Amino acid sequence: MTRAVLVAGIGNLFLGDDGFGPEVVRRLATDPGPPLPGGVRVVDYGIRGMHLAYDLLDGYDALVLVDAYPGGGAPGELTVLEVGPDDLGAGEFDAHGMNPVSVLANLGQLGGTLPLTHVVGCTPADVEEGIGLTEAVAAAVPEAVAEVRALVRRLSAAGPPPTPESAPAPVPARTRRS
């Protein structure tokens, strides 16, 4: 049995480096590398938070969010971390926007549960109005594609999804400079 994994590119293409997530999933879809495992769905959600929330109600075993991540590092630095319900807190859900923390935190109100969730984020250099990634963030896209591929292979490996009692210890955040 393989796990159902959703890879979600999120971000606003019209705000410079905020378009990192959509660019990574676009590259995943056109990458000539080996195909992703069965049960993996790759979607560019842009700023459609409600769409992501409703898709998560389909019962995915794992979620990989790809987004600009203001982790405080140098522009282009990748961060990979695991996110659980305790990391989300609360946030007001906006049906017309994309605040990933709010979308995930309010999933229970829609009748869903948060699947095993990882974030592959990139520190942006510029999120002002404008189309296109800065040089530092564009240079991080191929490494992010490789990181998502590796994460998806691991998450979709055979076996039932972990239960809270059998779940492995949380993955500590890792950062890399591109």
Side-chain angles (χ1 to χ4, degrees), residues 1-39:
M1 170 177 151
T2 59
R3 294 185 188 157
V5 179
L6 177 61
V7 177
I10 56 178
N12 189 333
L13 295 172
F14 299 106
L15 295 177
D17 289 339
D18 196 45
F20 172 78
E23 179 61 20
V24 170
V25 297
R26 185 189 69 75
R27 294 264 186 101
L28 274 169
T30 61
D31 185 31
L36 294 171

Coordinates of all heavy atoms in Angstrom, one line a residue, residues 1-39:
M1 N 0.8 -1.2 0.0 CA 0.0 0.0 0.0 C 0.9 1.2 0.0 O 1.8 1.3 0.8 CB -0.9 0.0 1.2 CG -1.6 1.2 1.5 SD -2.7 0.9 3.0 CE -2.8 2.6 3.6
T2 N 0.6 2.2 -0.9 CA 1.3 3.4 -0.9 C 0.5 4.5 -0.3 O -0.8 4.4 -0.3 CB 1.8 3.8 -2.3 OG1 0.6 4.0 -3.1 CG2 2.7 2.8 -2.9
R3 N 1.1 5.5 0.3 CA 0.4 6.6 0.9 C 0.0 7.6 -0.2 O 0.7 7.8 -1.1 CB 1.2 7.3 1.9 CG 1.5 6.4 3.1 CD 2.3 7.3 4.1 NE 2.8 6.4 5.2 CZ 3.8 6.7 5.9 NH1 4.4 7.8 5.8 NH2 4.2 5.9 6.9
A4 N -1.2 8.2 0.0 CA -1.6 9.3 -0.8 C -0.9 10.6 -0.3 O -1.1 11.0 0.8 CB -3.1 9.5 -0.8
V5 N -0.2 11.3 -1.2 CA 0.6 12.5 -0.9 C 0.1 13.6 -1.8 O 0.1 13.5 -3.0 CB 2.1 12.2 -1.0 CG1 2.9 13.5 -0.7 CG2 2.5 11.1 -0.2
L6 N -0.2 14.7 -1.2 CA -0.5 16.0 -1.9 C 0.7 16.9 -1.8 O 1.2 17.2 -0.7 CB -1.7 16.6 -1.3 CG -2.1 18.0 -1.9 CD1 -2.5 17.8 -3.4 CD2 -3.3 18.5 -1.2
V7 N 1.2 17.4 -2.9 CA 2.3 18.4 -3.0 C 1.6 19.6 -3.4 O 1.0 19.7 -4.5 CB 3.4 18.0 -4.0 CG1 4.4 19.1 -4.0 CG2 4.0 16.7 -3.6
A8 N 1.6 20.7 -2.5 CA 0.9 21.9 -2.8 C 1.9 23.1 -2.9 O 2.5 23.4 -2.0 CB -0.1 22.2 -1.6
G9 N 1.9 23.6 -4.1 CA 2.7 24.9 -4.3 C 1.8 26.0 -4.0 O 0.7 26.1 -4.5
I10 N 2.2 26.9 -3.1 CA 1.4 28.0 -2.7 C 2.2 29.3 -2.8 O 3.4 29.3 -2.6 CB 0.8 27.9 -1.3 CG1 1.9 27.6 -0.2 CG2 -0.2 26.7 -1.3 CD1 1.3 27.5 1.2
G11 N 1.5 30.4 -3.1 CA 2.2 31.7 -3.2 C 1.5 32.5 -4.4 O 0.8 32.0 -5.2
N12 N 1.9 33.8 -4.3 CA 1.3 34.7 -5.3 C 2.3 35.1 -6.4 O 3.4 35.7 -6.0 CB 0.9 36.0 -4.5 CG 0.1 36.9 -5.4 OD1 0.2 37.0 -6.6 ND2 -0.8 37.7 -4.8
L13 N 2.1 34.7 -7.6 CA 3.0 34.9 -8.7 C 3.3 36.4 -8.9 O 4.3 36.8 -9.5 CB 2.4 34.3 -10.0 CG 2.3 32.8 -10.0 CD1 1.6 32.4 -11.3 CD2 3.7 32.2 -10.0
F14 N 2.4 37.3 -8.5 CA 2.5 38.7 -8.7 C 3.3 39.4 -7.6 O 3.3 40.6 -7.6 CB 1.1 39.3 -8.9 CG 0.3 38.8 -10.1 CD1 -0.7 37.9 -9.9 CD2 0.7 39.1 -11.4 CE1 -1.4 37.3 -11.0 CE2 0.1 38.5 -12.4 CZ -1.0 37.7 -12.2
L15 N 3.8 38.6 -6.7 CA 4.6 39.2 -5.6 C 6.0 38.7 -5.6 O 6.5 38.2 -4.6 CB 3.9 39.0 -4.3 CG 2.6 39.7 -4.1 CD1 1.9 39.4 -2.8 CD2 2.7 41.2 -4.3
G16 N 6.7 38.7 -6.7 CA 8.1 38.3 -6.8 C 8.4 36.9 -6.2 O 7.8 35.9 -6.7
D17 N 9.2 36.8 -5.2 CA 9.6 35.5 -4.7 C 8.5 34.7 -4.0 O 8.7 33.6 -3.7 CB 10.8 35.7 -3.7 CG 12.1 36.1 -4.4 OD1 12.2 35.9 -5.6 OD2 13.0 36.7 -3.7
D18 N 7.4 35.4 -3.8 CA 6.2 34.6 -3.2 C 5.8 33.6 -4.2 O 5.1 32.6 -3.8 CB 5.1 35.6 -2.8 CG 4.1 34.9 -1.9 OD1 4.5 34.2 -0.9 OD2 2.9 35.0 -2.1
G19 N 6.2 33.7 -5.5 CA 5.8 32.7 -6.5 C 6.7 31.5 -6.5 O 6.7 30.6 -7.4
F20 N 7.6 31.3 -5.4 CA 8.5 30.2 -5.3 C 7.7 28.8 -5.4 O 8.1 27.9 -6.1 CB 9.3 30.3 -4.0 CG 10.1 29.1 -3.7 CD1 11.3 28.8 -4.4 CD2 9.7 28.1 -2.8 CE1 12.1 27.7 -4.1 CE2 10.5 27.0 -2.5 CZ 11.7 26.8 -3.2
G21 N 6.7 28.7 -4.5 CA 5.9 27.4 -4.5 C 5.3 27.0 -5.8 O 5.5 25.9 -6.3
P22 N 4.6 27.9 -6.5 CA 4.1 27.6 -7.8 C 5.2 27.2 -8.8 O 5.0 26.4 -9.7 CB 3.3 28.9 -8.2 CG 2.9 29.4 -6.9 CD 4.0 29.2 -6.0
E23 N 6.3 27.9 -8.8 CA 7.4 27.6 -9.7 C 8.0 26.2 -9.4 O 8.3 25.5 -10.4 CB 8.5 28.6 -9.6 CG 9.7 28.4 -10.5 CD 9.4 28.3 -12.0 OE1 8.3 28.9 -12.4 OE2 10.2 27.8 -12.8
V24 N 8.1 25.8 -8.2 CA 8.7 24.5 -7.9 C 7.7 23.4 -8.4 O 8.1 22.4 -9.0 CB 9.0 24.3 -6.4 CG1 9.3 22.9 -6.0 CG2 10.1 25.2 -6.0
V25 N 6.4 23.5 -8.2 CA 5.5 22.5 -8.6 C 5.4 22.5 -10.1 O 5.2 21.4 -10.7 CB 4.1 22.6 -7.9 CG1 4.2 22.3 -6.4 CG2 3.3 23.8 -8.2
R26 N 5.5 23.7 -10.8 CA 5.5 23.7 -12.2 C 6.7 22.9 -12.8 O 6.6 22.1 -13.7 CB 5.6 25.1 -12.7 CG 5.5 25.2 -14.3 CD 5.8 26.6 -14.8 NE 7.1 27.0 -14.6 CZ 8.1 26.6 -15.4 NH1 7.9 25.7 -16.3 NH2 9.4 27.0 -15.2
R27 N 7.9 23.1 -12.1 CA 9.1 22.3 -12.5 C 8.9 20.8 -12.3 O 9.4 20.0 -13.1 CB 10.3 22.8 -11.8 CG 10.7 24.2 -12.2 CD 11.7 24.3 -13.3 NE 12.1 25.7 -13.4 CZ 13.2 26.2 -12.9 NH1 14.1 25.5 -12.3 NH2 13.5 27.5 -13.1
L28 N 8.3 20.5 -11.1 CA 8.0 19.1 -10.9 C 7.2 18.4 -12.0 O 7.4 17.3 -12.4 CB 7.3 18.9 -9.5 CG 8.1 18.8 -8.3 CD1 7.3 18.9 -7.0 CD2 9.0 17.6 -8.2
A29 N 6.2 19.2 -12.5 CA 5.3 18.7 -13.5 C 6.0 18.5 -14.8 O 5.6 17.7 -15.6 CB 4.1 19.6 -13.6
T30 N 7.0 19.3 -15.1 CA 7.7 19.3 -16.4 C 9.1 18.7 -16.3 O 9.7 18.5 -17.4 CB 7.8 20.7 -17.0 OG1 8.6 21.5 -16.1 CG2 6.5 21.4 -17.2
D31 N 9.5 18.3 -15.1 CA 10.8 17.7 -14.9 C 11.0 16.4 -15.7 O 10.1 15.5 -15.5 CB 11.1 17.6 -13.4 CG 12.5 17.1 -13.1 OD1 13.4 17.4 -13.9 OD2 12.6 16.4 -12.1
P32 N 12.0 16.2 -16.4 CA 12.2 14.9 -17.1 C 12.7 13.8 -16.3 O 12.9 12.7 -16.7 CB 13.2 15.2 -18.2 CG 14.0 16.3 -17.6 CD 13.1 17.1 -16.8
G33 N 12.8 14.0 -15.0 CA 13.3 13.0 -14.0 C 12.3 11.8 -13.9 O 11.3 11.8 -14.6
P34 N 12.7 10.9 -13.1 CA 11.8 9.7 -12.9 C 10.4 10.2 -12.4 O 10.3 11.2 -11.7 CB 12.5 8.9 -11.9 CG 13.5 9.7 -11.3 CD 13.8 10.9 -12.2
P35 N 9.4 9.5 -12.9 CA 8.0 9.9 -12.4 C 7.9 9.7 -10.9 O 8.5 8.9 -10.3 CB 7.1 8.9 -13.2 CG 8.0 7.7 -13.6 CD 9.4 8.3 -13.7
L36 N 7.0 10.6 -10.4 CA 6.7 10.5 -9.0 C 5.9 9.2 -8.7 O 5.2 8.7 -9.6 CB 5.9 11.7 -8.5 CG 6.6 13.1 -8.6 CD1 5.6 14.2 -8.4 CD2 7.7 13.1 -7.7
P37 N 6.0 8.7 -7.5 CA 5.3 7.5 -7.1 C 3.8 7.6 -7.3 O 3.2 8.7 -7.3 CB 5.6 7.3 -5.6 CG 6.8 8.1 -5.4 CD 6.8 9.2 -6.3
G38 N 3.1 6.5 -7.5 CA 1.6 6.5 -7.6 C 1.1 7.1 -6.4 O 1.6 6.9 -5.3
G39 N -0.1 7.7 -6.5 CA -0.7 8.2 -5.3 C -0.3 9.6 -4.9 O -0.7 10.2 -3.9

